[in-house]
Amino acid sequence: MTTALLTDQYELTMLQASLRDGTATRRAVFEMFPRRLPDGRRYGIVAGTGRLLDAIAEFRFDDAALGHLAEHHIVDGSTLDWLADYRFTGDIWGYPEGEAFFPGSPLLIVEGTFGEAVVLETLALSILNHDSAIASAASRMITAAGGRPCIEMGSRRTHERAAVASARAAYIAGFDATSNLEAGRVHGIPTAGTSAHAFTLLHDDERDAFASQVASLGRGTTLLVDTYDIETAVRAAVDVAGTELGAVRIDSGDLPQLAAQVRKQLDSLGATKTRVIVTSDLDEHAIAALAAAPADGYGVGTSLVTGSGHPTCGFVYKLVARGADGDLIGVAKKSKDKLSVGGRKYAWRRIGAAGVATQEVIGIGEHAAPRDGRELLVPLVRSGERVFDESLESARQRRRTSVEELPPHARQLSHGEPAIETTYLREGR
Amino acid sequence: MTTALLTDQYELTMLQASLRDGTATRRAVFEMFPRRLPDGRRYGIVAGTGRLLDAIAEFRFDDAALGHLAEHHIVDGSTLDWLADYRFTGDIWGYPEGEAFFPGSPLLIVEGTFGEAVVLETLALSILNHDSAIASAASRMITAAGGRPCIEMGSRRTHERAAVASARAAYIAGFDATSNLEAGRVHGIPTAGTSAHAFTLLHDDERDAFASQVASLGRGTTLLVDTYDIETAVRAAVDVAGTELGAVRIDSGDLPQLAAQVRKQLDSLGATKTRVIVTSDLDEHAIAALAAAPADGYGVGTSLVTGSGHPTCGFVYKLVARGADGDLIGVAKKSKDKLSVGGRKYAWRRIGAAGVATQEVIGIGEHAAPRDGRELLVPLVRSGERVFDESLESARQRRRTSVEELPPHARQLSHGEPAIETTYLREGR
């Protein structure tokens, strides 16, 4: 399936006009960055880069795409010819997945001719804006969970394909598993799930449903105990499965109180190793409120796949430099409320004496090696060839170390300023 | 591309257990409904039904899907055999696209065996929750725009495939066009777009950029005038394109004030027919605030594709009735905070003397013809065969008449209660 038409029409009309006047071949540097973090957030987490590199490889104008553009007179014949041969031949650098970001972080730098780089705008923004929004919310939930396992189960509350990408982004941010089978197949993420209320309601009584589930899925399964009366259900669950019962799940009610009550009941029945899983409308704040409750795992749905109040990141993709008489000159829009900083960027994170991040340093112009920190941009594509391909495990590890390196207030859930400030350096100074 | 694994794992483990104990063949009625509207919203608009019917037709477990399930031991061999032959053979009714909905509206009713109906849960919820969230937000924007044309341009702020579905949902709700080319190709929605700031920045000066765009796209094009100084840009735009210039676009700043200023300048230059399009971070409230400004059209991005604060609808899919000794009995979860109403539903909208909707009537049990209103559920699938397929134009028309039929306070943008109350009738009483 080609990704070529997952694109705003104006990318192609700009291409047509620039092909006609000769500027399409001018050297261009586009930069993707957030103007700010969502209100109150202290950091964000990059996700989607791997998916973007896959999507760029599939960005080819096939007959169906070209036929549509021709039939609707969206671009002219010479533009169609150019698109038919399209292949990105430039260079791309980016923050790798799992890395923390801050206002102004140059998350992606695309350098090539104007024509080849401008047409990637919409696709690149769609993927990184979505996936990073999910990973940024997920990272807060993982911090709130304090080491207890989290399962992503929000597929039903987002677009069916966004659900697969959400599972991937949540996994990068530290979630342990997903309910989404396609995410298991495509991305190799562990999948989980046992039963819903419908299964209990289908049976003549709850005990029949539990017995059936244990017979089919084994004593290690998770029984859902809140269809009718929780205390009765827990008793029946242990009665049917024995004390080797894997887990019970509570999906409604006052979760801290119910978790404590169910834990006590399980212990009194001898099921001391049976875990208590809670799953009702959790977000990072509800998870934090469960810290003192005897919950052994969290299932998170709606608030995860909707970015917990911030369903998109607001990244923009701006031309920041272009060729002019053999040189590269910085360019920027002048409008007051949508300022960009012109010029090609590099970036490092300044690290203080105790190994704690202190600043996001964005250099403009010629690259200078970081003197007291670590480089943030890695080469992703060189002369059109993908040179970066990493496992989700490696992105997951990066998120962990990147968040641990931030000052402690970064991990607070309350509203606050970005955890470190962003500073701009011109020409290595 | 099969849709079969766009599914939560627990659907298939429930299937396995029910196949093993024989309950998979029990007659089952599942219902999709909203427990409530998003906080402050007065109505919602259904979208996604057409996409769901397409997705159900593609819901087949192919070798790749079965191979994944087998390799990861997600279900057993006899369940795999059952899935390999899967084809939905039951009946589906639903609110057609464009229809208004209220708390409790039975938006989709799926009747079949438990096994064949339960596996559609995740897919059905993903599609309708997403698309209806977009259509519900879009409908408010269309009301706020008061007849001025609206263009959907939010692709960059949502998942790349959700963007295509968003364009479709927005079109159903009354948007006139989309920036998304794939939505044009797949759904036949008109597409629009001319240029971004990058095009101006690419050129040596703004006038060169305008001249190039007009030479390529004609005098009827839309020139973006806020890259540097708006007054200078408008003068250059008319100078280059003449008074036949189609439109200018303003993408930043104080839009009501700028629209008035630009309108005045255009008129003074004789470009009295050149339209003023505004596009910066609009939502329904910002659009309403522009009602008195001389704006001729709105481009809406982020807030549209994120549901303007409510990116999902919170629809649930619940077993409400099942076979028992040849009868159909109503079933419902008892948990206090997640109550369902058991029993097979029908629905009509009660219409008062003046042709104004007064109540959402939900009947439980045997269907009774509406006495003073119109029926809301239409047959979508009969014995596995799709029996409903309508154009987007027809859904668009339905949204218009359905919203017009609501009492006037339904169209207020302020927070409020659902525009009409929902009432339940038992057995036709």
Side-chain angles (χ1 to χ4, degrees):
Chain A
M1 189 194 320
T2 173
T3 55
L5 292 190
L6 299 171
T7 298
D8 287 328
Q9 176 162 317
Y10 78 3
E11 317 291 4
L12 302 194
T13 49
M14 284 192 280
L15 172 68
Q16 172 181 311
S18 65
L19 284 170
R20 196 175 193 281
D21 75 11
T23 53
T25 55
R26 281 192 173 172
R27 192 170 161 213
V29 181
F30 282 89
E31 178 188 321
M32 187 186 299
F33 62 94
R35 287 208 172 87
R36 62 193 74 83
L37 297 181
D39 183 39
R41 288 281 180 88
R42 293 155 190 262
Y43 69 93
I45 293 292
V46 177
T49 318
R51 292 211 307 118
L52 174 60
L53 294 174
D54 291 344
I56 290 174
E58 292 160 13
F59 197 85
R60 298 278 189 278
F61 290 80
D62 60 11
D63 289 346
L66 293 169
H68 174 75
L69 298 175
E71 189 191 336
H72 295 268
H73 310 290
I74 290 167
V75 289
D76 61 20
S78 53
T79 307
L80 291 175
D81 292 343
W82 191 93
L83 291 173
D85 294 332
Y86 180 80
R87 191 175 170 288
F88 181 73
T89 65
D91 300 318
I92 305 179
W93 296 261
Y95 280 40
E97 294 187 277
E99 186 59 87
F101 68 82
F102 298 93
S105 297
L107 301 176
L108 199 74
I109 292 177
V110 179
E111 181 164 356
T113 65
F114 176 79
E116 69 182 348
V118 75
V119 297
L120 297 179
E121 174 178 18
T122 310
L123 184 67
L125 284 172
S126 291
I127 294 177
L128 267 76
N129 266 325
H130 174 268
D131 291 14
S132 301
I134 308 306
S136 298
S139 181
R140 288 160 56 86
M141 294 167 184
I142 290 300
T143 299
R148 291 175 177 173
C150 294
I151 302 174
E152 184 283 307
M153 38 190 276
S155 295
R156 61 191 54 204
R157 297 293 170 85
T158 187
H159 180 276
E160 70 276 17
R161 299 275 166 196
V164 183
S166 294
R168 182 182 181 280
Y171 189 67
I172 287 173
F175 272 64
D176 295 87
T178 175
S179 62
N180 189 286
L181 290 168
E182 185 73 357
R185 188 181 74 82
V186 177
H187 299 302
I189 301 169
T191 55
T194 56
S195 66
H197 298 109
F199 188 75
T200 299
L201 296 171
L202 171 69
H203 286 82
D204 297 331
D205 70 34
E206 192 172 46
R207 175 179 292 262
D208 286 358
F210 288 174
S212 166
Q213 184 176 328
V214 169
S216 174
L217 302 175
R219 292 175 193 275
T221 194
T222 300
L223 293 173
L224 179 59
V225 293
D226 70 336
T227 305
Y228 306 114
D229 174 70
I230 291 183
E231 195 182 336
T232 311
V234 170
R235 203 177 318 117
V238 177
D239 208 33
V240 162
T243 54
E244 305 115 280
L245 175 61
V248 296
R249 177 161 80 96
I250 312 171
D251 186 45
S252 55
D254 177 355
L255 296 178
Q257 186 261 320
L258 288 174
Q261 171 196 316
V262 167
R263 176 75 272 153
K264 197 171 164 190
Q265 187 185 359
L266 285 170
D267 289 348
S268 77
L269 295 167
T272 54
K273 290 190 175 151
T274 300
R275 288 167 303 129
V276 177
I277 309 295
V278 296
T279 59
S280 180
D281 285 336
L282 297 179
D283 63 10
E284 61 268 47
H285 304 288
I287 292 171
L290 281 156
D296 300 291
Y298 305 111
V300 189
T302 307
S303 75
L304 177 61
V305 299
T306 58
S308 199
H310 301 294
T312 187
C313 284
F315 300 155
V316 293
Y317 182 92
K318 295 293 172 189
L319 183 69
V320 292
R322 66 167 172 86
D325 304 324
D327 271 354
L328 197 64
I329 57 167
V331 295
K333 182 171 184 291
K334 291 288 188 299
S335 332
K336 280 182 216 113
D337 57 340
K338 288 190 174 175
L339 212 60
S340 303
V341 178
R344 201 188 176 310
K345 312 293 191 315
Y346 55 96
W348 82 77
R349 188 150 302 149
R350 186 165 274 156
I351 309 292
V356 175
T358 59
Q359 243 180 2
E360 188 81 342
V361 183
I362 303 175
I364 303 165
E366 284 310 301
H367 174 263
R371 286 160 297 185
D372 47 4
R374 59 188 182 82
E375 198 101 47
L376 293 166
L377 287 160
V378 301
L380 303 174
V381 174
R382 273 205 192 105
S383 304
E385 295 303 317
R386 179 173 180 166
V387 294
F388 190 80
D389 198 355
E390 68 171 356
S391 68
L392 292 183
E393 299 305 330
S394 141
R396 208 169 142 83
Q397 177 58 38
R398 181 177 301 107
R399 177 262 162 201
R400 197 177 305 126
T401 54
S402 182
V403 172
E404 279 170 5
E405 181 187 72
L406 297 176
H409 61 268
R411 290 174 291 278
Q412 291 174 9
L413 298 179
S414 56
H415 274 232
E417 298 300 310
I420 57 174
E421 63 160 9
T422 300
T423 186
Y424 291 85
L425 280 187
R426 292 195 184 264
E427 306 297 349
R429 290 186 308 131
Chain B
M1 191 193 319
T2 174
T3 55
L5 293 190
L6 299 171
T7 298
D8 287 329
Q9 176 162 316
Y10 78 5
E11 318 290 3
L12 301 194
T13 49
M14 284 192 279
L15 172 68
Q16 172 181 310
S18 65
L19 284 170
R20 196 175 192 279
D21 74 12
T23 53
T25 56
R26 282 192 173 172
R27 193 170 160 213
V29 181
F30 282 89
E31 179 188 320
M32 187 187 300
F33 62 94
R35 288 207 170 89
R36 63 193 74 83
L37 296 181
D39 183 39
R41 289 280 179 90
R42 293 155 189 261
Y43 68 94
I45 292 292
V46 177
T49 318
R51 292 212 308 119
L52 173 60
L53 294 174
D54 292 344
I56 290 174
E58 293 160 13
F59 197 86
R60 297 278 190 280
F61 290 80
D62 60 10
D63 289 346
L66 294 169
H68 174 75
L69 298 175
E71 189 191 335
H72 293 269
H73 309 290
I74 290 167
V75 289
D76 61 21
S78 53
T79 307
L80 291 174
D81 292 344
W82 190 94
L83 291 173
D85 295 332
Y86 181 80
R87 192 175 168 290
F88 182 74
T89 65
D91 300 319
I92 305 179
W93 296 260
Y95 280 40
E97 294 187 275
E99 186 59 87
F101 68 83
F102 297 93
S105 296
L107 301 177
L108 198 74
I109 292 177
V110 179
E111 180 163 357
T113 65
F114 175 79
E116 69 182 347
V118 75
V119 297
L120 297 179
E121 174 178 18
T122 310
L123 185 66
L125 284 172
S126 291
I127 294 176
L128 268 76
N129 266 325
H130 175 268
D131 291 15
S132 301
I134 308 305
S136 298
S139 181
R140 288 160 56 86
M141 294 168 184
I142 291 300
T143 299
R148 291 176 177 173
C150 293
I151 302 175
E152 184 284 306
M153 38 191 275
S155 296
R156 61 192 54 202
R157 296 293 170 86
T158 185
H159 180 275
E160 70 276 17
R161 298 276 166 198
V164 183
S166 294
R168 182 182 181 281
Y171 189 68
I172 288 173
F175 272 64
D176 295 88
T178 175
S179 62
N180 188 286
L181 290 168
E182 185 73 356
R185 188 181 73 82
V186 177
H187 299 302
I189 301 169
T191 55
T194 56
S195 65
H197 298 109
F199 187 74
T200 299
L201 296 172
L202 172 69
H203 287 82
D204 296 332
D205 70 33
E206 194 172 47
R207 176 180 291 261
D208 286 358
F210 288 175
S212 167
Q213 184 177 329
V214 169
S216 175
L217 302 174
R219 292 175 194 275
T221 194
T222 300
L223 293 173
L224 179 60
V225 292
D226 70 334
T227 305
Y228 307 113
D229 175 68
I230 292 183
E231 196 182 335
T232 311
V234 170
R235 204 178 317 119
V238 177
D239 208 32
V240 162
T243 55
E244 305 114 281
L245 175 62
V248 296
R249 178 162 78 96
I250 312 171
D251 187 45
S252 54
D254 177 355
L255 297 178
Q257 187 260 320
L258 288 175
Q261 171 194 315
V262 167
R263 176 76 272 154
K264 197 171 163 191
Q265 188 185 1
L266 285 170
D267 289 348
S268 77
L269 295 167
T272 54
K273 291 190 173 150
T274 300
R275 289 166 302 129
V276 177
I277 309 296
V278 296
T279 59
S280 181
D281 285 336
L282 297 180
D283 63 9
E284 61 268 48
H285 304 287
I287 293 171
L290 281 156
D296 301 292
Y298 304 111
V300 190
T302 308
S303 75
L304 177 60
V305 298
T306 57
S308 198
H310 300 294
T312 187
C313 284
F315 300 155
V316 294
Y317 182 93
K318 295 292 171 188
L319 183 70
V320 293
R322 66 166 172 87
D325 304 324
D327 271 353
L328 197 63
I329 58 166
V331 296
K333 182 170 184 293
K334 292 287 190 296
S335 332
K336 278 182 220 119
D337 57 340
K338 288 190 175 175
L339 211 61
S340 303
V341 178
R344 202 186 174 312
K345 313 292 191 316
Y346 56 97
W348 83 77
R349 188 149 303 148
R350 188 165 273 156
I351 309 293
V356 175
T358 59
Q359 240 179 5
E360 188 83 341
V361 183
I362 303 174
I364 303 165
E366 285 310 300
H367 175 263
R371 287 160 296 184
D372 47 4
R374 58 188 181 81
E375 198 100 48
L376 293 166
L377 287 160
V378 300
L380 303 174
V381 173
R382 273 204 193 105
S383 305
E385 295 303 316
R386 178 174 181 165
V387 295
F388 189 81
D389 198 355
E390 68 171 356
S391 68
L392 292 184
E393 299 305 329
S394 141
R396 207 169 143 82
Q397 177 58 37
R398 181 177 301 105
R399 177 261 161 203
R400 199 178 302 126
T401 55
S402 182
V403 171
E404 278 169 7
E405 182 187 71
L406 298 176
H409 61 266
R411 291 176 289 279
Q412 292 175 8
L413 298 178
S414 56
H415 275 231
E417 297 300 310
I420 57 175
E421 63 159 10
T422 300
T423 186
Y424 290 86
L425 281 186
R426 290 194 185 267
E427 306 297 347
R429 292 185 308 131

